[in-house]
């Protein structure tokens, strides 16, 4: 269950997900130098719109995808606050795939598998990129890129996985139904 996990904060303390029982949670792996980085603005908008109604966003910076988050945790936070005025908490930079991946991500991927990037130019670009990295990328649950999001309902169930190409209005709609 999602409430069995803890995530390390930038200060070395831990966020116990059990403390978020009854909240809607959006968990996202982020990067500061990615083509999807402007999604920070959309995430902050969602946070401002729904936080008072029970939305929590857990931002886990990750440097596993073309090293697009090379900065220190403090530098990442400064970048996000200066450029996007984010107010949701950022966790310590961590891996979301591989032997050092967070246990939370093993759980999330066991709950919601990769279902594709959808349609459109960004989806096509992501598919082309991933084929060059992993020809079998469609057949494993690994996180494919920065800004993959998992939506958790108030009961702790992982209800949606959104790839970075997902339209934010669809994510907004799904959150609004859970709030």
């Amino acid at each position: 269950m999602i409430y069995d996990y803890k995530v390390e904060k930038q200060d070395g303390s831990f966020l116990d997900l059990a403390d978020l029982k009854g909240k809607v949670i959006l968990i996202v792996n982020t990067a500061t130098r990615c083509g999807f980085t402007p999604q920070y603005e959309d995430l902050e908008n969602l946070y401002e719109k729904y936080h008072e109604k029970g939305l929590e966003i857990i931002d886990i910076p990750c440097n596993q995808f073309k090293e697009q988050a090379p900065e220190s945790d403090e530098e990442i936070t400064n970048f996000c606050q200066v450029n996007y005025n984010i107010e949701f908490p950022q966790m310590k930079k961590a891996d979301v795939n591989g032997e050092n991946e967070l246990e939370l991500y093993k759980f999330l991927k066991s709950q919601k598998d990769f279902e594709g990037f959808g349609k459109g130019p960004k989806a096509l670009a992501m598919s082309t990129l991933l084929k060059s990295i992993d020809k079998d990328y469609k057949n494993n649950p690994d996180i494919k890129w920065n800004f993959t999001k998992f939506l958790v309902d108030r009961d702790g169930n992982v209800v949606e996985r959104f790839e970075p190409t997902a339209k934010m209005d669809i994510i907004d709609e799904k959150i609004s139904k859970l709030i």
Side-chain angles (χ1 to χ4, degrees):
M1 172 164 266
I2 194 84
Y3 302 129
D4 295 336
Y5 298 93
K6 295 178 182 178
V7 183
E8 189 173 2
K9 297 178 184 181
Q10 291 180 348
D11 66 5
S13 65
F14 284 85
L15 170 64
D16 187 341
L17 297 186
D19 292 341
L20 302 181
K21 283 182 182 174
K23 304 244 182 196
V24 173
I25 308 167
L26 188 66
I27 302 168
V28 55
N29 64 296
T30 60
T32 54
R33 298 183 185 187
C34 176
F36 295 106
T37 299
Q39 287 187 16
Y40 271 121
E41 182 175 352
D42 298 317
L43 291 168
E44 179 57 29
N45 289 339
L46 289 172
Y47 188 74
E48 289 175 15
K49 183 176 183 179
Y50 295 114
H51 180 66
E52 293 295 318
K53 297 176 183 174
L55 175 68
E56 294 294 339
I57 294 178
I58 299 174
D59 175 357
I60 303 173
C62 178
N63 196 38
Q64 285 189 284
F65 305 99
K66 299 273 186 190
E67 298 181 354
Q68 294 181 337
E71 303 92 347
S72 70
D73 290 325
E74 183 179 305
E75 290 168 328
I76 290 169
T77 296
N78 288 340
F79 171 86
C80 292
Q81 289 176 344
V82 166
N83 292 289
Y84 299 102
N85 295 320
I86 68 160
E87 294 183 22
F88 52 86
Q90 291 182 298
M91 302 296 116
K92 183 174 186 58
K93 188 165 41 171
D95 287 353
V96 297
N97 291 327
E99 66 180 61
N100 296 318
E101 75 185 84
L102 294 177
E103 290 298 318
L104 171 63
Y105 269 86
K106 286 180 185 175
F107 172 74
L108 292 170
K109 293 184 288 187
S110 76
Q111 299 299 298
K112 288 293 173 187
D113 205 352
F114 175 71
E115 294 181 10
F117 291 113
K119 297 182 173 144
K122 288 182 180 178
L124 182 59
M126 287 304 304
S127 293
T128 302
L129 173 66
L130 267 289
K131 283 180 195 170
S132 72
I133 297 170
D134 176 8
K135 291 187 186 324
D136 196 39
Y137 79 91
K138 291 181 182 178
N139 298 315
N140 67 62
D142 282 351
I143 303 304
K144 309 304 178 197
W145 208 253
N146 306 305
F147 291 88
T148 300
K149 300 157 200 75
F150 290 88
L151 184 60
V152 179
D153 69 13
R154 290 183 185 273
D155 296 320
N157 301 303
V158 181
V159 295
E160 296 280 346
R161 174 177 171 162
F162 302 102
E163 299 307 321
T165 52
K167 295 189 183 316
M168 292 305 278
D169 59 337
I170 293 171
I171 298 169
D172 186 325
E173 181 182 318
K174 299 282 186 175
I175 291 171
S176 73
K177 290 180 179 175
L178 297 176
I179 290 292

